[in-house]
Amino acid sequence: MLHLLEIQLQPARGVIAGTASATATGSAVFDWAQIELNVGTGDVSSPIGPTTTGSVTRNAETATVDVSSLTLSPFSVYANYVCGTTEDGTVVEVDDGTADERVLLSSRPATGNTGLNVVDGGVSQVAITTDPDPVFGTAYKVAARLQTNLFALYTAAASGTDTTGTMPTITTLRFGDIHDGTLKLNGWIREFRLWTYALDNARLSSLVS
């Protein structure tokens, strides 16, 4: 049986990872950043942070989804995101809570590319980099196939493949940062999709066109 896990993140402002802050002249300042995510057991939302004398500075909550019940070997992902910084950051990572088993899809304006990395058993299996060089404030579409000996990364600008490498054992899908809370996206994830099977190259290309 084929399964499609499609996750809607609304509003997009709420998935900014890192530190969100606001300042204003007056008696009150509000940071209205909020994420709402239906995870199957009820809606989860982040709180609003009011203040009466100054700015609100608060680390945004990280959105994670338990995917341990899914068979993610192979699987495919698609993301439409906005680059919100000049630093390298994570679009999504799927991992087991460690650096030893993970799939990382990253936006790299500082490095100058878009990346797909796979680690299995603590050993790097895949490291694909391709255009574009993400630009602050610009929206991008990226799609990837995660399959043993048949990995692929597609953007509107270019594509890359790797015909070697094995799949990790992964249990958690996280948006905007990695397992240890670093490599923040500091951007907006506008749409995300995950398929529990391998999409062919034509389908990956059509998603990002």
Side-chain angles (χ1 to χ4, degrees):
M1 180 181 296
L2 299 180
H3 300 278
L4 169 63
L5 173 65
E6 184 169 343
I7 300 163
Q8 299 291 336
L9 297 180
Q10 297 291 339
R13 170 64 175 84
V15 296
I16 293 180
T19 300
S21 63
T23 58
T25 300
S27 60
V29 178
F30 294 90
D31 173 12
W32 291 103
Q34 183 166 322
I35 181 172
E36 303 221 357
L37 174 63
N38 190 305
V39 295
T41 56
D43 293 329
V44 178
S45 62
S46 66
I48 294 169
T51 179
T52 57
T53 58
S55 63
V56 171
T57 300
R58 182 192 69 196
N59 286 336
E61 287 82 356
T62 298
T64 62
V65 178
D66 183 350
V67 293
S68 59
S69 63
L70 301 177
T71 301
L72 297 182
S73 184
F75 71 102
S76 305
V77 294
Y78 161 82
N80 182 335
Y81 75 96
V82 177
C83 178
T85 180
T86 57
E87 299 299 320
D88 293 351
T90 302
V91 180
V92 295
E93 180 176 88
V94 196
D95 58 59
D96 71 342
T98 74
D100 292 337
E101 305 282 334
R102 60 174 177 156
V103 170
L104 171 63
L105 186 60
S106 57
S107 171
R108 301 173 174 175
T111 304
N113 54 50
T114 300
L116 174 66
N117 292 83
V118 178
V119 178
D120 180 25
V123 178
S124 175
Q125 302 292 322
V126 174
I128 302 173
T129 58
T130 187
D131 291 334
D133 175 359
V135 177
F136 177 84
T138 303
Y140 297 97
K141 296 177 181 180
V142 60
R145 177 179 60 243
L146 294 309
Q147 183 177 14
T148 297
N149 298 332
L150 199 60
F151 296 88
L153 173 64
Y154 275 72
T155 69
S159 64
T161 60
D162 191 325
T163 57
T164 63
T166 57
M167 286 290 292
T169 301
I170 44 186
T171 58
T172 303
L173 169 65
R174 60 188 85 236
F175 300 92
D177 70 357
I178 63 174
H179 57 281
D180 64 2
T182 62
L183 202 61
K184 303 290 187 180
L185 174 62
N186 290 303
W188 294 260
I189 298 175
R190 304 167 73 181
E191 182 180 7
F192 175 80
R193 299 180 186 182
L194 183 149
W195 296 262
T196 56
Y197 53 91
L199 298 181
D200 62 25
N201 291 347
R203 177 62 171 144
L204 293 173
S205 179
S206 70
L207 285 168
V208 299
S209 61

